[in-house]
Amino acid sequence: YHQVSIPHIVGLYEVAEVTGRKADLPSDFLQRLRAAYLWPIKIATPNWDNPNINDSWPVDVARVSEDPAKLFPNEPVFAWAASGRASGTPPSFRNLHLPDSGLVILRSGWDADANYALLDVGPLSRGHSHQDKLNLIIYAHGRRLLFDNGGGNYEQSPYRRYGIDTHSHNTVLVDGEPQRRVKDKTNDPSGWGDPATPPAHFHEGTDYAYALG
């Protein structure tokens, strides 16, 4: 759904440009759009796609980086991503905590043979989220070891219920029981946007990175 939203945001900018109304846009409009375009690069796996977290589908990072490479020609990271890492300069960042997404990404590098881990350290969100807190995705030397299934199609079958349940994710069961939190702030007070929600902890040293959610 990140990729669904971006074309509409870009469309607003294009309309403003054609009609001479760019001054009516927020002063940080392009900065925020740039951040949205960077997100799939930040979470990219060694296979140069995005992991299927929550309700999602495969995303080709090279393909979705083509438009920002044109819109931000002075940003070498987009040209590098659009080339499939074939040319240009990789990002200066590597290990990241994305607090608004509730994700921590750890990687040994940006090459196709890198080690990679994604950890879900955020609270339950309002929509399209799964019962998967502390879910872990791992690639070792570019090979996918632990993955997320993306939830499957939107229907009421046992397969869909399993796809969004704790049992189908790489996380813990407590006394054999799965997570059963509802997407309702009155019943789940430690939810997204609630000041009572304990923040995730992320620390990066000279030769290690550590996350606690």
Side-chain angles (χ1 to χ4, degrees), residues 13-88:
Y13 179 79
E14 291 173 342
V15 170
E17 191 172 39
V18 169
T19 58
R21 303 293 296 270
K22 287 170 62 175
D24 293 339
L25 297 173
S27 59
D28 62 347
F29 187 90
L30 283 179
Q31 180 182 350
R32 289 175 176 268
L33 178 58
R34 174 184 176 275
Y37 274 130
L38 276 174
W39 190 82
I41 298 174
K42 289 179 176 180
I43 71 167
T45 73
N47 288 350
W48 216 228
D49 58 11
N50 283 167
N52 292 340
I53 51 178
N54 297 318
D55 286 341
S56 60
W57 54 89
V59 171
D60 183 334
V61 176
R63 184 183 61 80
V64 299
S65 298
E66 292 174 355
D67 286 341
K70 299 172 185 175
L71 186 59
F72 300 96
N74 296 323
E75 296 277 357
V77 65
F78 293 125
W80 169 80
S83 75
R85 300 170 291 188
S87 62

Side-chain angles (χ1 to χ4, degrees), residues 4 11-12 67 71 76 177 205 208:
V4 170
L12 180 61
D67 286 341
L71 186 59
E177 296 297 323
Y208 73 96

Side-chain angles (χ1 to χ4, degrees), residues 38-204:
L38 276 174
W39 190 82
I41 298 174
K42 289 179 176 180
I43 71 167
T45 73
N47 288 350
W48 216 228
D49 58 11
N50 283 167
N52 292 340
I53 51 178
N54 297 318
D55 286 341
S56 60
W57 54 89
V59 171
D60 183 334
V61 176
R63 184 183 61 80
V64 299
S65 298
E66 292 174 355
D67 286 341
K70 299 172 185 175
L71 186 59
F72 300 96
N74 296 323
E75 296 277 357
V77 65
F78 293 125
W80 169 80
S83 75
R85 300 170 291 188
S87 62
T89 305
S92 57
F93 54 80
R94 192 175 64 179
N95 301 316
L96 293 169
H97 175 211
L98 305 177
D100 291 335
S101 302
L103 301 174
V104 165
I105 297 92
L106 309 174
R107 65 176 78 241
S108 61
W110 289 98
D111 54 283
D113 295 327
N115 297 320
Y116 169 97
L118 180 146
L119 178 64
D120 186 337
V121 297
L124 193 70
S125 62
R126 293 293 181 264
H128 297 291
S129 59
H130 298 175
Q131 300 289 344
D132 64 346
K133 300 303 98 183
L134 300 182
N135 186 40
L136 181 64
I137 295 172
I138 290 181
Y139 285 67
H141 303 290
R143 180 185 177 189
R144 188 175 67 169
L145 297 184
L146 297 179
F147 64 94
D148 197 331
N149 65 82
N153 295 326
Y154 295 156
E155 31 88 5
Q156 299 299 318
S157 75
Y159 304 104
R160 167 64 177 172
R161 290 193 293 272
Y162 176 76
I164 64 177
D165 199 13
T166 313
H167 293 285
S168 68
H169 293 84
N170 309 306
T171 186
V172 296
L173 303 176
V174 178
D175 294 333
E177 296 297 323
Q179 301 170 26
R180 283 292 181 270
R181 289 171 294 176
V182 296
K183 303 169 187 176
D184 182 346
K185 192 170 182 178
T186 59
N187 294 316
D188 183 19
S190 290
W192 182 84
D194 192 306
T197 302
H201 176 73
F202 174 75
H203 176 74
E204 185 172 13

